[in-house]
Amino acid sequence: MAAPTRRPRPPAPGARRIETAARRLFANHGFAATSMADIAAAAGVSKATVFHHFRSKRQLYASLVGDAFVGFRDQLLPLLDAEGDVQGSLRDFAAAHVERLTRMQGTMRLIAREMLSGDAGAGDDLVSGEMSRNFSLLVEALRRGQASGTVRADADPGLAVFLLLCSSWFVFQTSALVRRNPDLAVAASTDTYATELARLLYFGLAPGAEPGGKEVS
């Protein structure tokens, strides 16, 4: 299947109800266990109405996922400016990422479920499409920082992006547990979490010195 591309938001209330219902059902039950009849019933429309707006279950699913990844690219990628204030941009990106994950819980849980479920085909769409493209664009941002001298030349940009994304995903997925863990009190506040994560990623764990060897003031 081709990578999902941006599309105009369907203006009809029926289409919006279908998307809302489908998002919830896909997130709760997975792609394979959700039928178009289930979606129609949950949306309060006929099955024919669902097919009027979306030609197949796969197209409906891809539309929901594609919109989420295009939104990620539009809203979050510009925040990672690795040629300027790297630590500040890491902080802003992490804070905005957690906020987006929290605000779009239904879509994000849908994506997480499909990545982990092993349902045939669903994970392939995520890995080969917009998700992969967004990851590569973030890596390229750090590589530009390496070329301009604001990011360590020997750092692995792919691993840095992976850690940045995974940390926020884990905070989002386990927020109830994180809030009760005294050793993770830093994650109770999004701003504090983002600030400390950016500082840790930028300076590492080496005591008394930045990665470039300068003393930390």
Side-chain angles (χ1 to χ4, degrees):
M1 174 181 167
T5 56
R6 173 169 247 168
R7 63 176 177 82
R9 174 67 58 185
R16 290 194 293 271
R17 289 202 303 273
I18 290 165
E19 289 187 324
T20 299
R23 187 180 295 112
R24 183 177 66 251
L25 290 173
F26 286 145
N28 291 338
H29 306 296
F31 178 83
T34 299
S35 69
M36 291 294 255
D38 294 333
I39 294 168
V45 300
S46 68
K47 190 174 177 181
T49 299
V50 178
F51 280 107
H52 172 73
H53 292 289
F54 303 97
R55 64 181 179 271
S56 68
K57 184 175 72 166
R58 175 61 66 189
Q59 194 266 336
L60 171 54
Y61 169 81
S63 177
L64 294 173
V65 172
D67 278 355
F69 288 133
V70 170
F72 178 99
R73 184 160 62 250
D74 289 347
Q75 296 172 23
L76 297 187
L77 285 181
L79 298 177
L80 190 56
D81 176 17
E83 297 172 272
D85 176 9
V86 180
Q87 186 180 357
S89 70
L90 288 170
R91 179 195 62 233
D92 293 345
F93 181 94
H97 192 203
V98 171
E99 187 277 332
R100 180 176 171 80
L101 291 169
T102 303
R103 175 168 45 85
M104 300 179 63
Q105 288 192 33
T107 300
M108 297 307 147
R109 295 194 189 283
L110 179 158
I111 292 170
R113 181 184 180 95
E114 294 306 311
M115 285 192 298
L116 299 173
S117 69
D119 289 347
D124 294 341
D125 292 341
L126 301 180
V127 172
S128 64
E130 296 292 337
M131 174 182 278
S132 179
R133 182 182 176 194
N134 287 349
F135 189 88
S136 295
L137 288 171
L138 289 169
V139 171
E140 286 303 317
L142 291 187
R143 285 179 177 152
R144 288 194 298 273
Q146 289 177 314
S148 66
T150 58
V151 174
R152 278 174 45 204
D154 63 337
D156 187 313
L159 180 58
V161 169
F162 184 76
L163 292 173
L164 180 62
L165 295 176
C166 287
S167 177
S168 295
W169 265 100
F170 191 78
V171 166
F172 162 68
Q173 292 279 24
T174 63
S175 59
L177 297 175
V178 166
R179 285 195 297 269
R180 297 202 301 266
N181 190 327
D183 291 325
L184 286 172
V186 67
S189 160
T190 297
D191 289 341
T192 303
Y193 158 77
T195 297
E196 292 304 311
L197 175 64
R199 189 165 71 92
L200 184 61
L201 281 175
Y202 191 64
F203 294 115
L205 293 173
E210 296 181 77
K214 299 177 182 178
E215 290 298 315
V216 177
S217 58

